[in-house]
């Protein structure tokens, strides 16, 4: 798998991951209040907060769909 670099829109920080699963784990682990959550809990909580904040809908059925939606709404940007 190729490692991909992502920029987070909220603070401009970057993360690298080879898979959507690895990226979601890193996103979860980077939060003060989310690192002890299960991945599904993290994705559902994130999606709920994002919907309340911006109205954006984020799928939480798979890590692939979750990351695709974060890219779609501009929360994540792929660095070439």
């Amino acid at each position: 798998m190729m490692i991909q670099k992502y920029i987070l829109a909220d603070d401009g920080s970057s993360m690298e991951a080879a898979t959507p699963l690895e990226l979601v784990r890193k996103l979860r682990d980077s939060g003060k209040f989310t690192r002890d959550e299960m991945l599904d809990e993290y994705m559902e909580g994130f999606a709920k907060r994002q919907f309340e904040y911006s109205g954006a809908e984020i799928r939480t059925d798979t890590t692939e769909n979750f990351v695709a939606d974060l890219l779609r709404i501009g929360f994540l940007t792929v660095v070439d």
Side-chain angles (χ1 to χ4, degrees), residues 7-71:
I7 302 294
L8 283 67
D10 64 343
D11 64 3
S13 65
S14 65
M15 289 189 175
E16 293 183 349
T19 65
L21 176 60
E22 182 182 8
L23 180 59
V24 174
R25 283 183 177 150
K26 287 183 174 188
L27 287 167
R28 178 202 57 194
D29 293 348
S30 70
K32 285 183 188 177
F33 304 108
T34 58
R35 41 180 84 119
D36 292 330
E37 294 178 341
M38 301 296 292
L39 280 186
D40 60 337
E41 293 173 320
Y42 168 74
M43 292 190 302
E44 289 168 10
F46 185 99
K48 181 180 177 183
R49 289 186 298 277
Q50 190 64 36
F51 182 77
E52 290 171 355
Y53 175 72
S54 69
E57 294 189 19
I58 299 171
R59 295 170 291 171
T60 60
D61 56 330
T62 66
T63 56
E64 291 81 4
N65 285 339
F66 184 76
V67 170
D69 287 346
L70 294 184
L71 289 164

